[in-house]
Amino acid sequence: MKIAGLNLDIIWKNKDENFQLIEKELENIDADLFLLPEMFSTGFCMDASEVSDRNEESLTFLKKMSKEKNAAFCGSVPVEENGKFYNRMYFVQPDSEVVFYDKRHLFSFSGEDKVYTPGKERMIVNYKGIRFLLQVCYDLRFPVFARNNDDYDAILYVANWPEKRVGAWEHLLKARAIENLSFVFGLNRIGTDGNNLFYQESSHCFFADGKEISQKNGNIVSAELNMNELQDFRNHFQFLNDRDSFSIEL
């Protein structure tokens, strides 16, 4: 399976311009699954009442792109539901089937926890024979929540992770791959946001041994996920059999 992520310089609070930019950037790109950054249509914004999707604008866009590309699309957007705001990661398939994950770990350092409501469930999507665990940005710092219970093959992280802390982002992505014997694809945004935070190019895909398998061409970072290679590696190094048993209170 080929995954293509877009290193997007998100235009602050402007959905239509971001939609146009994404279409232009992906016009000649083919993949089975496309990744877009966290809050790809607005930027990582705490003005939820202003920017949230009340009419599913971003979801409608993802469905359109998924149908046109005959590929799955995945990224997060701010949404409002029943009077609450969520940082919601959508996984949209070409047949318009939609699965979503609401970000569990809200970034208290920025006040995200004062505006958005945390999700309560892990979400795993089976797409073309690969099981994907959906995760958003700050979730990366919490390995217990992402622990592989032999129920997924790859983790998808979409993020707005600033340059000043990018070392942690890159080390933790690799760690999640190694400890969970899984592919890990982390897609970060680029550019400068409306809070004057800078984001350097730092998107990566790692194999289960921590080796980077992604390639970069312009603003596109892509990787081929080979399940035969992953299964051979897991059969040889059966570390997951020795994992600790635990439960998580959500």
Side-chain angles (χ1 to χ4, degrees):
M1 175 186 291
K2 181 180 179 180
I3 301 180
L6 175 59
N7 289 320
L8 182 64
D9 186 355
I10 303 170
I11 301 167
W12 191 247
K13 296 183 179 181
N14 195 322
K15 296 176 186 177
D16 288 338
E17 287 195 23
N18 283 312
F19 297 159
Q20 293 173 23
L21 180 57
I22 291 166
E23 285 191 270
K24 181 179 178 182
E25 292 276 6
L26 299 182
E27 185 176 7
N28 298 312
I29 307 300
D30 292 319
D32 300 294
L33 167 61
F34 289 90
L35 289 186
L36 301 173
E38 178 183 24
M39 294 196 182
F40 67 85
S41 59
T42 62
F44 185 63
C45 180
M46 297 303 102
D47 299 323
S49 60
E50 177 184 351
V51 302
S52 65
D53 272 11
R54 290 185 174 86
N55 298 311
E56 297 189 337
E57 308 96 295
S58 300
L59 178 58
T60 298
F61 170 74
L62 291 176
K63 287 181 177 180
K64 178 178 81 75
M65 291 295 293
S66 180
K67 186 175 181 180
E68 289 178 359
K69 289 285 192 180
N70 192 30
F73 270 73
C74 185
S76 97
V77 297
V79 302
E80 182 179 0
E81 186 176 274
N82 298 323
K84 296 180 179 179
F85 299 106
Y86 298 90
N87 186 345
R88 179 162 292 176
M89 185 178 186
Y90 285 117
F91 192 105
V92 179
Q93 299 187 33
D95 61 1
S96 293
E97 179 180 348
V98 177
V99 174
F100 68 84
Y101 159 70
D102 290 331
K103 185 178 181 182
R104 168 65 182 169
H105 299 95
L106 302 177
F107 192 43
S108 56
F109 187 75
S110 72
E112 186 182 16
D113 60 320
K114 302 296 190 299
V115 179
Y116 294 90
T117 298
K120 296 185 178 300
E121 296 182 9
R122 289 202 338 166
M123 180 56 62
I124 296 170
V125 180
N126 193 324
Y127 178 64
K128 291 194 171 183
I130 299 180
R131 299 168 299 172
F132 293 97
L133 175 68
L134 307 184
Q135 299 277 272
V136 180
C137 202
Y138 193 44
D139 286 327
L140 179 61
R141 288 188 178 270
F142 302 93
V144 172
F145 188 64
R147 188 61 170 134
N148 192 349
N149 295 312
D150 203 19
D151 53 359
Y152 66 78
D153 309 302
I155 313 178
L156 302 178
Y157 286 98
V158 297
N160 277 215
W161 199 293
E163 179 269 341
K164 61 180 65 178
R165 294 186 295 277
V166 76
W169 160 258
E170 293 178 326
H171 285 296
L172 291 173
L173 286 174
K174 184 179 291 189
R176 295 296 88 81
I178 294 170
E179 70 195 9
N180 292 301
L181 293 186
S182 300
F183 298 106
V184 169
F185 200 125
L187 181 75
N188 201 9
R189 68 157 291 170
I190 59 172
T192 302
D193 70 11
N195 295 315
N196 205 34
L197 291 172
F198 176 69
Y199 302 81
Q200 73 179 57
E201 196 289 310
S202 55
S203 298
H204 304 276
C205 186
F206 295 105
F207 186 64
D209 60 358
K211 177 180 66 179
E212 179 149 12
I213 60 172
S214 50
Q215 298 179 338
K216 299 178 182 180
N217 183 11
N219 288 329
I220 303 297
V221 54
S222 60
E224 292 280 353
L225 306 193
N226 186 316
M227 280 300 297
N228 290 331
E229 289 183 3
L230 179 64
Q231 196 56 57
D232 287 346
F233 188 82
R234 286 177 167 179
N235 289 339
H236 186 68
F237 298 106
Q238 299 184 23
F239 302 140
L240 287 178
N241 293 341
D242 303 322
R243 65 189 181 275
D244 297 312
S245 297
F246 58 87
S247 58
I248 302 175
E249 293 185 7
L250 299 175

